[in-house]
Amino acid sequence: GIPSLASSTVALQRGIGLDTGVPWGGVNDFYRLVNGAQEEIAADPGERFFYNNAAYRMLGHVIQEVSGEAFHEYITENILEPLEMKRTTLIREEYERDPDRMIPHWKKPDGTIVPTDFPYPNVVDNPDFSFIAAAGGVISSVTELANYLTMNMNGGKFGDVQLVSPDSIEKMLTLHIDRPPNHYGRYGYGYGWGITQDFLGHKMASHGGSILVSTAHLAFIPELKIGVAQAANSAGLQYQTIAEGIFTALMGMEPEKALPALGIRERMEKLTGTYQVYKGLAIVKVINKAGLLHLEQKNHFTDIVVPLIPEDDTYGSLRFYILTDGVRQPVEFDVDPSVGIDLYIERYRYHKTS
């Protein structure tokens, strides 16, 4: 049980010109960060599970040591070339030579989006530290990522080449560690894949990741042999929900009715907006911030933003509460299609105006 050591935070911030104060020049710097975190161990092995980018980098180092090759060379020879992923690379120079390459974009907290460089160092400049790319350092396209999905859906085979044994693929797609349930019930981690045990009657495997200036997400349903590859040159979209929406459409269902996440977002969207009391003497806004409704009030005397905590996690109820010093303050919406939406907070009755 080692919580995240933020090794990716160091790599990504340095890559866009920010200094974390943590040395990051090679293998020794990486293990100095990892081995210096002994006091961060939170549980014995097997007791708790944390996804950990530093652990994937250590696995990459294992591959490097066992194979005797730099990590990027081994991956290219044993995965990318057999899968005919000709544009896919871990080498910065190859990416920069591609005339049709994506331009990474950094979305800042204030909402502005600016072009930036790919933040990972060029692995050929320091082959011993090539395994830094084991977590987020592969640059690909959705067309070639589809080849990787095809191999996983075909029991480890792509064309006439058997890259991975069917038994290994089966183990990868077996839920080994339970995590908090998702909208569909049991959810957990296999080997390199997140496993939703019952997505509308089928097992679904998925995995995504972002380096903040680019993002990728893969998902597939083994039984149906359908998959979705997504890639973007920034971060912040709901890739998992997009994949699930595509799956439901391919399965002949209506995504808006079949996917709980879409229903929740629709119900949240209905409640967001500006609310006023009688004569407009008090005004508040209901906003969606990071997937949770918040109440915002700004005037000459007040400047507050507080979360509206739903009594029903699926937003099936219109009852919420504000938690202040451990005390709940009820908040309730009243939706009347013929009149509009009202908001009740203590003695105040607000009417939605926009």
Side-chain angles (χ1 to χ4, degrees):
I2 304 177
S4 175
L5 305 179
S7 63
S8 287
T9 301
V10 178
L12 300 181
Q13 292 194 12
R14 287 176 66 90
I16 59 174
L18 303 177
D19 188 5
T20 62
V22 177
W24 196 252
V27 179
N28 291 337
D29 289 336
F30 172 75
Y31 281 107
R32 187 179 297 113
L33 176 67
V34 172
N35 293 328
Q38 297 298 314
E39 296 301 319
E40 300 300 318
I41 297 175
D44 292 332
E47 286 187 355
R48 301 180 70 183
F49 171 79
F50 304 98
Y51 182 87
N52 195 310
N53 284 322
Y56 268 96
R57 293 192 167 100
M58 285 186 275
L59 286 174
H61 197 194
V62 170
I63 291 173
Q64 194 164 287
E65 291 294 309
V66 172
S67 69
E69 295 182 78
F71 178 77
H72 69 281
E73 294 175 349
Y74 182 87
I75 295 300
T76 300
E77 294 170 7
N78 292 276
I79 298 178
L80 303 183
E81 290 179 355
L83 289 178
E84 300 179 7
M85 299 173 71
K86 298 176 182 178
R87 292 182 63 207
T88 302
T89 184
L90 293 80
I91 301 173
R92 186 188 184 103
E93 294 172 342
E94 293 183 355
Y95 152 73
E96 292 176 343
R97 285 198 301 266
D98 191 321
D100 195 28
R101 67 184 182 276
M102 63 97 181
I103 303 299
H105 280 72
W106 171 20
K107 185 176 182 180
K108 295 184 176 182
D110 64 3
T112 58
I113 301 176
V114 297
T116 186
D117 292 327
F118 187 73
Y120 276 57
N122 193 12
V123 291
V124 298
D125 292 339
N126 190 353
D128 288 343
F129 198 31
S130 174
F131 63 86
I132 185 179
V138 178
I139 309 169
S140 189
S141 67
V142 290
T143 303
E144 296 193 351
L145 287 172
N147 291 358
Y148 183 77
L149 279 177
T150 298
M151 181 269 293
N152 278 272
M153 290 189 289
N154 288 340
K157 190 174 184 179
F158 182 78
D160 296 328
V161 181
Q162 188 77 47
L163 281 81
V164 185
S165 71
D167 181 61
S168 293
I169 292 291
E170 182 64 29
K171 290 178 180 177
M172 291 169 66
L173 299 178
T174 298
L175 196 158
H176 299 287
I177 299 171
D178 279 285
R179 302 189 72 185
N182 60 19
H183 291 306
Y184 311 100
R186 191 181 178 204
Y187 171 74
Y189 208 63
Y191 293 150
W193 291 107
I195 305 298
T196 297
Q197 200 65 30
D198 184 4
F199 171 72
L200 305 177
H202 304 279
K203 179 190 290 187
M204 175 175 63
S206 61
H207 207 296
S210 176
I211 59 172
L212 303 183
V213 297
S214 65
T215 304
H217 186 278
L218 300 175
F220 66 102
I221 299 178
E223 181 184 355
L224 302 180
K225 291 187 181 293
I226 54 177
V228 176
Q230 300 175 72
N233 62 342
S234 189
L237 296 179
Q238 299 296 324
Y239 300 94
Q240 181 67 37
T241 303
I242 293 171
E244 292 173 4
I246 294 171
F247 288 146
T248 54
L250 291 173
M251 294 162 65
M253 304 179 187
E254 295 185 38
E256 293 81 3
K257 296 180 179 179
L259 299 184
L262 294 183
I264 290 171
R265 290 196 181 98
E266 182 181 359
R267 291 189 285 276
M268 293 174 69
E269 183 66 24
K270 181 185 294 185
L271 300 179
T272 59
T274 301
Y275 293 75
Q276 298 184 12
V277 300
Y278 175 68
K279 295 293 186 181
L281 296 174
I283 301 173
V284 298
K285 289 184 178 180
V286 175
I287 60 175
N288 184 342
K289 185 177 182 181
L292 188 67
L293 292 182
H294 287 68
L295 184 75
E296 178 183 84
Q297 186 172 35
K298 295 183 179 182
N299 54 43
H300 297 296
F301 306 101
T302 304
D303 186 354
I304 60 170
V305 179
V306 294
L308 294 177
I309 305 172
E311 291 192 357
D312 179 354
D313 292 346
T314 67
Y315 287 81
S317 166
L318 296 173
R319 294 178 179 272
F320 297 75
Y321 62 89
I322 298 169
L323 193 64
T324 305
D325 295 330
V327 177
R328 293 190 180 194
Q329 177 181 326
V331 174
E332 185 173 357
F333 293 87
D334 181 34
V335 178
D336 185 337
S338 63
V339 178
I341 301 177
D342 288 345
L343 168 63
Y344 294 90
I345 307 174
E346 289 188 318
R347 62 187 183 276
Y348 293 102
R349 179 186 183 183
Y350 293 85
H351 308 285
K352 186 177 181 181
T353 57
S354 63

